[in-house]
Structures are given as C-alpha cells and as structure tokens.
Amino acid sequence: MATVKCSIPKGTRDFLPVEMARRNYIFDTIRSVFRAFAFEPIETPSLENLSTLMGKYGEEGDKLLFKVLNSGNFMEGVDFNQDYHKVAPQICDRGLRYDLTVPFARFVVQHRDQVVFPFRRYQLQPVWRADRPQKGRYREFYQCDADMIGSPSLLNELELVQMIDTVFDKLGINVCVKINNRKVLAGIAEMIGAPDKMVDITVAIDKLDKIGLDNVRAELAERGLTAEQIKALDPVFSLSGTAAEKISALEEMFANVETGLKGAAELKELFALINAAGPRCTVELDLTLARGLNYYTGAIFEVKALDVQIGSICGGGRYDNLTGIFGMPDVSGVGISFGADRIYDVLTELNAFPEGLEQAARVMFINFGAKEQAACIGIAARLRCAGISTLIYPDAAKMKKQMDFANRKQVPFVAFVGESEMQNGTVTLKNMSDGSQQTMTVDEMISQMK
Amino acid sequence: MATVKCSIPKGTRDFLPVEMARRNYIFDTIRSVFRAFAFEPIETPSLENLSTLMGKYGEEGDKLLFKVLNSGNFMEGVDFNQDYHKVAPQICDRGLRYDLTVPFARFVVQHRDQVVFPFRRYQLQPVWRADRPQKGRYREFYQCDADMIGSPSLLNELELVQMIDTVFDKLGINVCVKINNRKVLAGIAEMIGAPDKMVDITVAIDKLDKIGLDNVRAELAERGLTAEQIKALDPVFSLSGTAAEKISALEEMFANVETGLKGAAELKELFALINAAGPRCTVELDLTLARGLNYYTGAIFEVKALDVQIGSICGGGRYDNLTGIFGMPDVSGVGISFGADRIYDVLTELNAFPEGLEQAARVMFINFGAKEQAACIGIAARLRCAGISTLIYPDAAKMKKQMDFANRKQVPFVAFVGESEMQNGTVTLKNMSDGSQQTMTVDEMISQMK
C-alpha cells in the first residue's frame, strides 16, 4: 500500500492529550464564570448561508471567508468566463462561520419568539478565517463569547468587568482592563469639526501605542484631517490622571458636544460601579482605545496581560443595533470575547498551568495473566464507578514494559494483584512519585485515591 | 436597512439553551465514562486535506464530502471544460471531516513519536456529510468516539462493552448489545466456497431484520451466489440458543475453516469475559450483525434501545490495519462511537432527561433601583464566588415584569433586598415552586442554595 504523506491544512492544529487538558482547563474556567453570572449556552452551525456572512466583516473579511462548494453539479448554468470573485458566490451557497457575533445576531432574529429578553448567552465554538497563518494566528480557532442583549443598563458592563476579573484571577494572570466609550470618540470627531472622520480618527488613535504620536499625526493628515483639526486633538492625547480626572476633563472639553457628554456620563457611571465593586485587577480609562469593529456604539473593553508581551487577550463592547442587519432594529447588547489561544500562550509563558492536568489514568493495574486479570476487572469496575480513572494494562507483557508505560504516561499509582492479594482480597499500591508501597483493601484504596 | 431572510443551511441546527443543557448532559455522561476508563481526549481540525479524506469512504462517501473552495484566485490554470467531478478536486484542496476515524488514523501516523502505545483516545467533535437531510439525519452532527489501539487483547473489547453498559445505565436507557465477529462472517463465506463474496453476504445478512429471510436469499442470488451456496448458508440462519450454544454450533460448522474457528474462539473468550464481568444490560451474539464499514476485522458491536424504535445508538468494532492507509501497517485497534443525536431522540421519547437541567439562573435578585442594586452587587459576588448561578435583573423595571421574567426563565429562587434587608444585612428569598418566603443572612442563603 502506498504511503500517504500525513499532514493537516496550513493554519490548523491537532491537539494531543496534554494540550487538550490545558485547553479544557481554560474553557472550563471561562465556562464556570459564564455560568455563575447566569449566562446560558447556545450553539450555531459551523456552516452558515453565505448571504448571512457576506458584507458583515468588510471587504477584507469577505475575502477571508471559507466558502464551501455546492454539492452535486456545481458548474451547471455558471459562466466561468468571469472574474473568480463573481464565480465564487455562484458555486458556493454556504461558508464557515467567521466569528460568533454575526451568527448570534442571526440566531436572535430567527428565534426571537423563543428567546426571553434580556437574554444572556455564551458560546464556545471554533471559527474559521482564511488568514495568512503566523505565530499565534490560526485558520481554525475557538472564540469564547458572552453577550447580554435587550438591556441598556450599565450593570451589564460592570458584570462583564467582574467576569473578566474573575476569569483571570482564577487563571492566575495579572491583567489590566482598558475601557473607553465610542460616544467619546464620536464626540471628539464632532468637537474638531470632523464628525465623518470618527473611524479614521479612532483607527489612527488605536495605533498610538505601536507607532507613537508623530506617526499618528502623520496618518491623520493622510486620512484627510487638516492641520487645525489635528492640533485640536491635542487635549485628547494629553489627558492624564485617574479615570475620574480624565472624565472631568472630558466633560469640560465637551461643553457643547452632546454625544461626547453622553459618553462621558456613561463612563462616569460605569467607573462609579466598578470602584464600588472593587475588582482585583487594574481597570483604567484609556482614551486611545478604539477597537476595530465598527458596530460598537458605547463602552469598549480590552484586556492586556501585565506580565507577558502579547496582544489583547479579551475584548468587547456595547453595540446598539447588531440585529439591525437582519431586520430587527433597536436591540442593544454588550458582550466580550475571550481569546483562548492567546490565554494558552500566556499561561505557557508564565508556566502557570496547574500540575496534574494531563493524567491519563490515576491508577494502572499490572497485568500478570488471565487469572489475575479477572480479579483486576472486578476491582477496576468499583474504582471506575467511584469516578477514578483506571487502567488495566491490556496484555500480560513483561513487567518492565508495563512499568515503562506507566512511567511514560505519568500514572501516579500502580496496583499489583498477585497470588497473595487475590487470596486476601487486597491490592498492593505503589506510589510512583516516592516509590512507597502499601497493601490495602479495595475500600481503603478507593478512599485514598479520591 | 433591508431585511435579510434569516435561515440556516438545510440539515444544520441551532441549539437553544434547553437543547444545549440536554446535549451537554449526554456528552458529559459519555465523557465521564471515557475518563473513568482512562481514555485521553484529542481533537483534530475540522478541515482536512482532501487527499486525506478522498477514497476512504467509498465512492458514495466521496460524493458526500463537503469541499472547501481554495482561497484567492481558485480558477487560475483550471480547465472548466471538464466534468464537475474532475474540476472539484482542482479548485478545492481541503474538506470538512466526514468522521472521526480517518482523522484519528492520520493523527496516529503523524504523531507516532509522541503517542505511547497502547493508546486510548476519545474524541467528541462534529462531522459533516452532504447527505440528504431527513428525520434524525443531519449534515452536521457530533460523534463521540473511543478507540484503543496497539493491543490485540480482548480485554479491550470487554471494556468497550462495560463502557456501553455504564453509559446507558447512567442515562437510564435499556439496551441490548449485539456482538458478532468479522472472522466468523469471513469463515462462513469461505465455508460455502465463496470467500470473495464476504462483503456481499454480510451486506445481505445485515438486512435480515428489515427484509426477511426470503428477500435476503433473493438478494444473495442477485449478488451472484449459486443456489447451492445459498442453501449452504442455512445453518447460519438457523443458529439459536445462548451465545455459548451458538459458538459451539459454529465450532462444529467450521471444523475445517481456520478463519471461522479463529472468530469462534475470539467470541468464546469475549463472552466468557463478559459473563464474568456481569453487565447490567443484555448482551447477545447476533450472527446476522454485519455493520457496513469494511475495515472491521474482528469483533463488531451494535447497540439497540429496547424501549424505542430507532436504529442503532452506538456501534463499533476491531480493525487490524486502520493506519495502513497512511503507510503505518499492523496497528490493531478497537473502538466504538456513540450517536449523540439518536440518544437525544431516545431520551426525549422516554421523557428521561433529569429535571432542572435547563436552569438559566438559580437565583434572581429583583432590581429596586440604584441603591438596592448596589447592595445586590455585593451579595451576588459572594454567591457567584460560591459557584451559584446568580442574576441581578439589569433594570429597575416594574415588579410584574421582573417576576414574569423569573417565571418564564424558570428561576427557582427570587431574592429581594429592600430597605429593611439593607439595614439588617439580610436577603428575603422566595421559593418560586411553593411561593414560600424567608428572610435570612447571606451565609444562610449560600448554604441553602448549595
């Protein structure tokens, strides 16, 4: 038989048991916090109609959608003497989901009669993007989203900050939550007389950390702002002090700019709630925070790990009209998304995964042959019933081979059932970390293992 | 903004919170049993190279593969004046996985240096098939697979039966496990002088239940068996009694047929192990069980629900050369796959899902306004820290609206924190099932909720 070259598509990954254990630790932590805050799980199909996905992520996003070829004779009636951009949507009706937000908006509209508002949903599922793969960027990766929709209350925003605080506290990652408000950014654009340039301004401001003030100013000029308008932005760049001080300065700055004042008021209320709740992590107002996605209309969040150099590991914000794209206007929502892959990288770099996550089995029985195996089967059934992960080595191989296996699999206890144990109804248990050995009854063994 | 018609692709599903809770109950049950038997989790990418998938599921399977269009200019250098079968693999390098078995074989070969044999892996992931959708058959559905590879011991087969027994016992479904052996089927073909007709014979025998003996005989004739050969099959159809009796009859029948005798010996040993272990469910030897997939070479399993009319809800078998297709011969393995969707249907029909699975929140705080909300935030933080799913109604809406919400969401407890509770540091807790109300401290509340 010919040897097939074994590989997987670029940008995708296999997960071995040790990686699975670590990933599940992250997912379980996030999920337990979502549950504690009364979020309910949903799932949507991996395949969505392309009409649902196209045009929702900008031109660049459309290019990054994985499109699925129609079944059967996909060529029938299609003119292939056209540009490939035109042909693709004619031979592909469906695509792989690109994020969890657009499918969620579609879900809410489609199931509006079954959903009780305000609705809190969480969703942990993979998404696919035909991006150029690079370190930390994959073509298939998980998103962990929590959104609350149907309520304008800033309590929702507070709870998202509390959830972020709790997740990273549980994971042992020091973080800073950066908060801003899109209305403040809109107010700034309005204030300098360039209300149509809000996106350009926020995109440029977003790069302040990376490229510095001078380059941001150059970019703003390129994007069509006048020297005067750029100069008028100076107060924004020079804001400093606590959140309260920055908010006061904003209120002053926005004296006549209604949107800006509304944003400042929202920030004021949110920071009051946060200060009262007293999160463990740092929370700061960062006016240079913009976030790329244009559907945000209120608070925006981004989380940075303090001890590791990496992009944001969680982000989100308030959107006032997400379901509008599917014909259901005026549903306000706010949500966050945890980046499981980056969190994995942070925990790896910090060496902060708990010990013992990757145990294949808690105890392995040595196989001495048919008669002893029969005795082990009965004992193993009791251990497994008690929820203890138990292995019987499947073949009566040489002792050295069986012990090597237990060592390589890092099994913490090895059990021996030989002649005398069978006679006495006991088990001899070897602790693999210190080599100690003890003979005991099965009941004793169960209580020791638990 | 134009209204977009909201729908999802044919054969796919959204899962609402109540369905998620039920599905997770099934997955968690299966997973806990896999863990108790020391299986380790892996995951493989949704996208595989088409070269990995094509030709592994027969001609029909190839047609049912979802193919993913190449990114960028997929048309470049492709001649579209060909049949669509020829064009598809030129414009699609990747496809969605069709099952978990072929990706697992690919995984084992690709990671042979990291895997310690014997290796037990489990995998719970969706698969995709462009099948015609119908009741109980979807284009995206989950498979729950457990395989043990690298050991020929029949202890593995026993443990699979024990796992099946445990899963369905936990789920409260009465089942019958049917067992057969492919070597017995091969032996039968050899015995009647038609060794090359093993597949035809098993496919026909497989239909015995559905179409009856006469039609099976007719089909065998159609498939090229002589009347004499069909007559020679009579002993097979007339075997009866206990597993031990059937096995004795087989041994007699196979006096000179080596493969058949090997199969009978395997069945004898396996049934001895099963009888000693004493499973709760019925286990029977069913010589008409064939199972479609041709890579099976030893024991084969199929599980039927006894109280619901539905196809098999779990199945599997022993294969001696699965990784051979990827150039790594002689790796014997045995595995089973639980059909989560059919199990869901069975539990629904039996009305056997546990109560209280779908709780959105265990307790909801009524929101009386900013001051009371502030008090609730502090109490909710303590409840959530104790793992209790807690909601604060996000807006100070009318009491009736808030209570209606709690009722619709089936929240079992509603908490009130008003003036007097704030003064005394207490909470008034209303039990929504009997309407009783009690005022207590937060500590008392936590211990009552747990």
Side-chain angles (χ1 to χ4, degrees):
Chain A
M1 190 170 281
T3 302
V4 181
K5 191 170 159 272
C6 271
S7 67
I8 50 178
K10 230 178 10 177
T12 70
R13 293 163 289 172
D14 282 327
F15 297 109
L16 291 152
V18 51
E19 293 156 343
M20 285 296 294
R22 291 178 177 177
R23 286 169 65 81
N24 284 337
Y25 164 68
I26 295 169
F27 292 135
D28 291 344
T29 302
I30 293 171
R31 199 183 286 114
S32 73
V33 174
F34 287 170
R35 294 290 306 148
F37 280 79
F39 284 72
E40 297 180 273
I42 70 158
E43 280 185 12
T44 61
S46 304
L47 296 170
E48 292 274 356
N49 292 319
L50 267 184
S51 57
T52 300
L53 303 176
M54 294 286 282
K56 308 304 189 300
Y57 307 105
E59 215 174 294
E60 193 54 27
D62 281 352
K63 278 189 209 153
L64 301 184
L65 288 171
F66 278 112
K67 297 169 187 76
V68 172
L69 195 65
N70 293 344
S71 302
N73 187 356
F74 62 92
M75 293 175 67
E76 208 176 334
V78 177
D79 173 11
F80 284 89
N81 294 311
Q82 299 175 83
D83 185 72
Y84 74 92
H85 289 295
K86 294 232 170 92
V87 172
Q90 295 180 63
I91 60 176
C92 299
D93 293 336
R94 292 153 304 196
L96 291 169
R97 72 171 158 254
Y98 181 88
D99 70 0
L100 302 179
T101 307
V102 167
F104 176 52
R106 195 260 316 138
F107 176 99
V108 169
V109 176
Q110 194 170 330
H111 304 283
R112 64 216 293 176
D113 296 333
Q114 289 148 283
V115 169
V116 186
F117 296 95
F119 180 49
R120 307 181 153 210
R121 86 86 171 77
Y122 73 86
Q123 196 171 351
L124 274 64
Q125 287 193 282
V127 302
W128 294 266
R129 296 181 186 179
D131 237 325
R132 194 184 303 275
Q134 56 183 58
K135 190 179 177 304
R137 195 201 278 164
Y138 305 99
R139 289 186 160 177
E140 174 175 35
F141 59 98
Y142 265 79
Q143 290 194 332
C144 310
D145 281 22
D147 289 79
M148 38 253 276
I149 59 166
S151 158
S153 166
L154 288 170
L155 176 61
N156 296 304
E157 274 84 341
L158 167 69
E159 292 192 330
L160 292 180
V161 172
Q162 291 183 304
M163 285 161 65
I164 291 167
D165 185 38
T166 310
V167 165
F168 291 113
D169 182 61
K170 282 184 182 234
L171 292 175
I173 300 175
N174 291 318
V175 298
C176 170
V177 182
K178 293 171 182 244
I179 299 184
N180 196 5
N181 190 298
R182 270 294 171 92
K183 294 189 186 77
V184 166
L185 295 172
I188 289 168
E190 206 180 314
M191 178 185 75
I192 66 166
D196 58 318
K197 290 275 194 276
M198 204 266 273
V199 174
D200 293 290
I201 295 170
T202 55
V203 167
I205 289 180
D206 199 20
K207 297 183 183 167
L208 189 64
D209 261 1
K210 279 188 207 147
I211 64 176
L213 186 52
D214 286 344
N215 289 315
V216 165
R217 284 191 178 124
E219 180 157 342
L220 287 167
E222 257 174 57
R223 285 171 180 269
L225 267 75
T226 65
E228 200 182 356
Q229 287 169 335
I230 294 171
K231 179 98 187 81
L233 280 173
D234 276 354
V236 178
F237 295 126
S238 62
L239 284 174
S240 66
T242 64
E245 285 163 353
K246 285 179 188 165
I247 294 165
S248 291
L250 283 175
E251 286 170 331
E252 212 167 297
M253 210 169 84
F254 286 139
N256 296 310
V257 185
E258 207 181 316
T259 317
L261 284 173
K262 180 85 175 61
E266 286 179 11
L267 282 174
K268 197 173 190 170
E269 188 182 338
L270 178 55
F271 271 92
L273 286 169
I274 292 170
N275 289 336
R280 284 148 290 205
C281 65
T282 317
V283 181
E284 63 182 41
L285 171 52
D286 181 355
L287 288 163
T288 69
L289 174 65
R291 288 191 68 76
L293 284 166
N294 287 320
Y295 51 70
Y296 291 127
T297 51
I300 46 181
F301 308 97
E302 210 162 271
V303 182
K304 295 266 184 192
L306 293 177
D307 307 318
V308 175
Q309 279 286 20
I310 201 165
S312 74
I313 53 180
C314 178
R318 161 81 62 179
Y319 40 85
D320 277 340
N321 196 20
L322 187 71
T323 55
I325 47 175
F326 298 113
M328 184 180 174
D330 303 326
V331 177
S332 185
V334 57
I336 47 172
S337 183
F338 287 87
D341 291 293
R342 282 196 179 158
I343 293 172
Y344 188 100
D345 291 345
V346 169
L347 288 172
T348 304
E349 197 166 324
L350 294 175
N351 201 12
F353 283 107
E355 302 241 332
L357 279 180
E358 60 266 43
Q359 271 175 18
R362 203 145 157 69
V363 60
M364 184 187 103
F365 284 82
I366 295 292
N367 194 327
F368 289 112
K371 212 170 48 170
E372 292 84 355
Q373 178 183 290
C376 292
I377 290 172
I379 300 169
R382 291 179 57 191
L383 291 166
R384 286 164 175 161
C385 185
I388 297 160
S389 176
T390 304
L391 190 67
I392 305 169
Y393 195 86
D395 309 281
K398 286 204 179 115
M399 176 70 98
K400 188 182 174 317
K401 189 175 175 188
Q402 296 191 43
M403 289 304 285
D404 277 354
F405 177 86
N407 273 318
R408 287 192 66 185
K409 297 298 268 184
Q410 297 183 285
V411 179
F413 294 96
V414 168
F416 304 86
V417 179
E419 276 300 335
S420 78
E421 284 88 355
M422 284 168 67
Q423 262 168 30
N424 302 324
T426 54
V427 177
T428 298
L429 198 62
K430 184 186 175 100
N431 182 327
M432 296 292 277
S433 62
D434 62 13
S436 66
Q437 247 175 252
Q438 219 186 326
T439 301
M440 59 187 77
T441 67
V442 178
D443 283 331
E444 286 166 347
M445 183 178 174
I446 289 175
S447 58
Q448 182 169 331
M449 301 262 91
K450 278 199 128 173
Chain B
M1 190 171 280
T3 302
V4 182
K5 192 171 159 270
C6 271
S7 66
I8 49 177
K10 229 176 12 173
T12 69
R13 292 163 291 172
D14 282 327
F15 297 109
L16 290 153
V18 52
E19 293 156 340
M20 284 295 295
R22 291 178 177 176
R23 287 169 64 81
N24 284 337
Y25 164 69
I26 295 169
F27 291 136
D28 290 345
T29 303
I30 293 171
R31 198 184 286 114
S32 73
V33 174
F34 287 170
R35 293 291 305 148
F37 280 78
F39 283 71
E40 297 182 272
I42 70 158
E43 280 185 13
T44 61
S46 304
L47 296 170
E48 292 274 354
N49 291 320
L50 268 183
S51 57
T52 301
L53 303 176
M54 295 286 281
K56 308 304 189 300
Y57 306 105
E59 215 175 296
E60 193 55 28
D62 281 353
K63 278 188 209 153
L64 301 183
L65 289 171
F66 278 112
K67 297 168 187 76
V68 172
L69 195 64
N70 293 344
S71 302
N73 186 356
F74 62 91
M75 292 175 67
E76 207 177 332
V78 176
D79 173 10
F80 284 89
N81 294 312
Q82 299 174 82
D83 186 72
Y84 74 93
H85 290 295
K86 294 231 169 95
V87 172
Q90 294 179 64
I91 61 176
C92 299
D93 293 335
R94 292 153 304 197
L96 291 169
R97 71 172 159 253
Y98 181 87
D99 71 359
L100 302 179
T101 307
V102 168
F104 176 51
R106 194 261 315 138
F107 176 100
V108 169
V109 176
Q110 194 170 330
H111 304 284
R112 62 216 292 175
D113 296 333
Q114 288 148 284
V115 169
V116 186
F117 296 96
F119 179 49
R120 307 182 152 209
R121 87 85 171 78
Y122 73 86
Q123 196 170 352
L124 273 64
Q125 287 193 282
V127 302
W128 293 267
R129 296 181 186 179
D131 237 324
R132 195 184 303 273
Q134 57 183 57
K135 191 178 176 306
R137 195 202 276 164
Y138 304 100
R139 289 186 160 176
E140 174 176 36
F141 59 97
Y142 266 78
Q143 290 195 333
C144 310
D145 282 22
D147 290 78
M148 37 251 277
I149 59 166
S151 158
S153 165
L154 289 171
L155 175 61
N156 297 304
E157 273 85 339
L158 167 69
E159 291 192 330
L160 292 180
V161 172
Q162 291 184 303
M163 286 161 65
I164 292 168
D165 185 38
T166 309
V167 165
F168 291 112
D169 182 61
K170 283 184 182 235
L171 293 175
I173 300 175
N174 291 320
V175 297
C176 169
V177 182
K178 293 170 181 243
I179 299 183
N180 196 4
N181 191 299
R182 271 294 171 94
K183 293 189 186 77
V184 166
L185 294 172
I188 290 168
E190 206 180 312
M191 178 185 74
I192 65 166
D196 58 319
K197 290 276 194 272
M198 205 267 273
V199 174
D200 293 291
I201 295 169
T202 56
V203 168
I205 289 179
D206 198 19
K207 297 184 183 166
L208 189 64
D209 261 1
K210 279 187 206 147
I211 63 174
L213 186 52
D214 287 345
N215 289 316
V216 166
R217 283 192 178 124
E219 180 158 342
L220 287 167
E222 257 174 58
R223 286 172 180 269
L225 267 75
T226 65
E228 199 182 357
Q229 287 170 335
I230 294 172
K231 180 96 186 83
L233 281 174
D234 277 353
V236 177
F237 295 124
S238 63
L239 283 174
S240 66
T242 64
E245 285 163 353
K246 285 179 189 167
I247 293 166
S248 291
L250 284 175
E251 286 172 331
E252 211 167 298
M253 212 169 83
F254 286 140
N256 297 311
V257 185
E258 207 181 316
T259 317
L261 284 174
K262 180 86 176 58
E266 286 179 11
L267 282 174
K268 195 173 191 172
E269 188 182 338
L270 177 54
F271 271 91
L273 285 170
I274 292 171
N275 289 337
R280 284 149 290 204
C281 65
T282 317
V283 182
E284 63 182 41
L285 170 53
D286 181 354
L287 288 164
T288 69
L289 174 65
R291 287 191 69 74
L293 284 167
N294 286 320
Y295 52 69
Y296 292 127
T297 51
I300 45 182
F301 308 98
E302 209 162 271
V303 182
K304 295 266 184 194
L306 293 178
D307 307 318
V308 175
Q309 279 284 22
I310 201 164
S312 73
I313 53 179
C314 178
R318 161 82 61 180
Y319 40 85
D320 277 340
N321 197 18
L322 186 71
T323 55
I325 47 175
F326 298 113
M328 184 180 173
D330 302 326
V331 177
S332 183
V334 57
I336 48 172
S337 183
F338 286 88
D341 291 292
R342 283 196 179 160
I343 293 172
Y344 188 100
D345 292 346
V346 170
L347 288 172
T348 304
E349 196 166 327
L350 294 174
N351 201 13
F353 283 107
E355 301 241 331
L357 279 181
E358 59 265 45
Q359 271 175 19
R362 201 143 159 70
V363 60
M364 183 186 103
F365 284 82
I366 296 292
N367 194 327
F368 290 111
K371 212 170 49 172
E372 292 84 356
Q373 178 184 289
C376 293
I377 290 171
I379 301 169
R382 290 179 57 192
L383 290 166
R384 286 163 174 162
C385 185
I388 298 160
S389 176
T390 304
L391 189 67
I392 304 170
Y393 195 86
D395 310 281
K398 287 204 178 115
M399 176 70 98
K400 188 184 174 316
K401 188 174 176 189
Q402 297 191 43
M403 289 304 285
D404 277 354
F405 177 86
N407 273 317
R408 286 193 67 186
K409 295 299 268 185
Q410 299 182 282
V411 179
F413 294 96
V414 168
F416 304 86
V417 178
E419 276 300 335
S420 77
E421 284 88 355
M422 283 168 69
Q423 263 167 29
N424 302 323
T426 54
V427 177
T428 298
L429 198 63
K430 185 187 174 100
N431 183 327
M432 297 292 276
S433 62
D434 62 12
S436 66
Q437 247 173 252
Q438 217 188 326
T439 301
M440 58 187 78
T441 66
V442 179
D443 283 332
E444 287 166 348
M445 182 177 174
I446 289 174
S447 58
Q448 182 169 331
M449 301 262 89
K450 278 199 127 171

